[in-house]
Amino acid sequence: MSLKPSDRPIRSFVIRASRATGSQRKALEQHWDTHVIPYEAGLLDFKKHFADTRQLTVEIGFGMGDSLLKMAQADPQSNFLGIEVHRPGVGKLLHGIAQHNLHNLKIMCHDATEVIANCFDPQSVDRLLIFFPDPWPKKRHHKRRIIQAEFVELLATRLAEGGVLHLATDWEAYALHMMEVLENEPTLINWSGAGKYCDSPARPETKFEHRGRRLGHRVWDLVFEKAGS
Ligand SMILES: C[S@@+](CC[C@H](N)C(=O)[O-])C[C@H]1O[C@@H](n2cnc3c(N)ncnc32)[C@H](O)[C@@H]1O
């Protein structure tokens, strides 16, 4: 039986046709079983996947993974989980993890909206990062933007008290939308003050951002903290 268009879930991504390079394909074959956590619609057992229980940072849509790799290398005392559906990007990050012999960085290759809803306990994540999500600029595509009130409400439940949600975009209209959605989530507090973007965000430059800056794009960062109960 085929799905009617109205039955299809609205996804925030399209699987891009770009092929993996030779080294990405090799990394996907050689390192998938060691560093990719298979998606199951059940809670993750972090003790099974990481050597120690430590602070956990989750990045959604890491793209080619360069900035996530840098963060995990720079902070060996924390655990990192990257969620991405683009296989060449997963291959690139797997290559980096193996090359640097990292034990604190794992990957899930699945729709992050399902991973966040089904795999994490409430208050189990210390930092949630979504850098340069697809802006879906056409009005009829706005429903595909990953930052929506309902998803942000879900993200906020997964953050530990004092945990941080950090978003960045180079698309002004999306930055305004992000600000409106985050400021309307009652459990989140803007680090920079009401309605203000963060001037000095602590994060490496991403690949997508690098391309945008070369084209003269501005960048907006939003850093919000989960309030205590
Ligand atoms: C515009 S790219 C930005 C990549 C990277 N953060 C950067 O700044 O270079 C957005 C990425 O998010 C991924 N993505 C979008 N929706 C996703 C979802 N629901 N689950 C997992 N990944 C998603 C896409 O595959 C894409 O690689």
Side-chain angles (χ1 to χ4, degrees):
M1 193 181 78
S2 65
L3 286 175
K4 296 196 295 291
S6 57
D7 296 333
R8 284 193 209 117
I10 297 163
R11 302 267 190 221
S12 57
F13 56 88
V14 278
I15 299 288
R16 282 171 277 161
S18 53
R19 287 165 62 95
T21 64
S23 81
Q24 290 161 4
R25 273 204 305 278
K26 203 165 149 197
L28 285 164
E29 279 161 26
Q30 289 186 342
H31 306 302
W32 182 280
D33 290 345
T34 322
H35 303 295
V36 177
I37 302 176
Y39 172 78
E40 286 165 29
L43 290 176
L44 282 174
D45 178 4
F46 284 100
K47 290 195 287 304
K48 203 167 122 192
H49 301 292
F50 290 105
D52 286 301
T53 317
R54 301 163 170 169
Q55 291 244 320
L56 176 66
T57 294
V58 175
E59 181 172 359
I60 293 174
F62 58 73
M64 300 313 281
D66 305 334
S67 58
L68 180 54
L69 186 72
K70 278 191 192 139
M71 289 188 282
Q73 274 183 288
D75 186 4
Q77 297 310 318
S78 295
N79 289 329
F80 292 80
L81 175 69
I83 310 172
E84 176 56 72
V85 288
H86 181 55
R87 281 191 179 236
V90 171
K92 173 99 192 292
L93 185 56
L94 281 172
H95 179 75
I97 293 173
Q99 196 178 30
H100 298 284
N101 195 24
L102 295 187
H103 297 284
N104 63 332
L105 172 54
K106 302 284 174 192
I107 300 173
M108 288 183 82
C109 184
H110 194 80
D111 185 341
T113 59
E114 291 179 22
V115 175
I116 298 291
N118 299 322
C119 303
F120 291 97
D121 275 315
Q123 305 205 13
S124 58
V125 182
D126 299 286
R127 284 199 310 158
L128 267 165
L129 316 175
I130 311 182
F131 297 151
F132 305 90
D134 303 279
W136 293 106
K138 291 186 182 141
K139 194 153 195 259
R140 67 189 154 89
H141 287 151
H142 284 183
K143 55 182 181 291
R144 301 187 68 147
R145 288 176 169 171
I146 198 164
I147 300 303
Q148 307 284 352
E150 206 179 308
F151 187 52
V152 167
E153 188 184 342
L154 176 70
L155 291 174
T157 64
R158 297 317 188 238
L159 277 177
E161 280 181 19
V164 164
L165 175 62
H166 185 166
L167 312 181
T169 182
D170 65 348
W171 191 260
E172 186 170 13
Y174 201 10
L176 293 167
H177 168 79
M178 288 174 171
M179 184 60 82
E180 186 182 338
V181 171
L182 266 58
E183 296 236 305
N184 279 322
E185 169 48 50
T187 63
L188 295 177
I189 302 162
N190 190 342
W191 260 11
S192 309
K196 297 220 171 76
Y197 296 91
C198 180
D199 285 337
S200 47
R203 60 171 180 82
E205 188 180 60
T206 78
K207 186 168 180 206
F208 196 84
E209 172 180 18
H210 184 71
R211 215 168 41 199
R213 284 195 192 272
R214 281 176 48 185
L215 295 170
H217 295 185
R218 259 189 76 184
V219 167
W220 292 267
D221 279 80
L222 298 88
V223 183
F224 279 62
E225 182 177 322
K226 171 80 179 284
S229 48

